[in-house]
Amino acid sequence: NPVITNLTALAGGRSVVLTPASVLQGSTVYKVQISKAVKDIYGNSPAAPFESTFSTTNIVTAQQRLKPQNIRIGYPNAEGIS
């Protein structure tokens, strides 16, 4: 099923961020497709259509969220060991 996204152009139009208009489903594979109909700020199309997939993880409940008291940050010493 298609997901409605908002497009935000960054870096003077050289980069685009897709932000879903609604929460994505957990444990789901999504596909991003960009056709040759897309044009950059100079009117150029991509040489070939682009396609990429990604998946979301399980939905995290409030009880499963990472709690601040469980976070530990280690800084490496001079030998690079933390």
Side-chain angles (χ1 to χ4, degrees), residues 6-7 14 21 26 33-34 55-56 63 65 72 77-78 80-81:
N6 297 310
L7 299 174
R14 294 185 307 267
Q33 295 176 310
I34 299 174
S55 60
T56 55
Q63 293 79 18
R65 290 186 185 145
R72 292 195 178 96
N77 60 19
I81 301 171

Side-chain angles (χ1 to χ4, degrees), residues 2 5 7 11 21-23 33 36 38 52 62 65 70:
T5 60
L7 299 174
S22 60
V23 175
Q33 295 176 310
K36 290 178 70 173
V38 173
S52 181
R65 290 186 185 145
N70 295 335

Side-chain angles (χ1 to χ4, degrees), residues 40-71:
D40 66 13
I41 61 174
Y42 302 107
N44 301 314
S45 296
F50 172 81
E51 185 174 292
S52 181
T53 59
F54 67 94
S55 60
T56 55
T57 188
N58 293 331
I59 295 174
V60 177
T61 65
Q63 293 79 18
Q64 295 170 320
R65 290 186 185 145
L66 185 60
K67 295 175 177 52
Q69 62 268 26
N70 295 335
I71 299 173

Side-chain angles (χ1 to χ4, degrees), residues 1-41:
N1 293 335
V3 174
I4 296 171
T5 60
N6 297 310
L7 299 174
T8 305
L10 302 172
R14 294 185 307 267
S15 179
V16 175
V17 175
L18 292 120
T19 304
S22 60
V23 175
L24 299 178
Q25 296 293 317
S27 301
T28 304
V29 175
Y30 289 92
K31 183 188 312 183
V32 176
Q33 295 176 310
I34 299 174
S35 73
K36 290 178 70 173
V38 173
K39 307 259 187 225
D40 66 13
I41 61 174

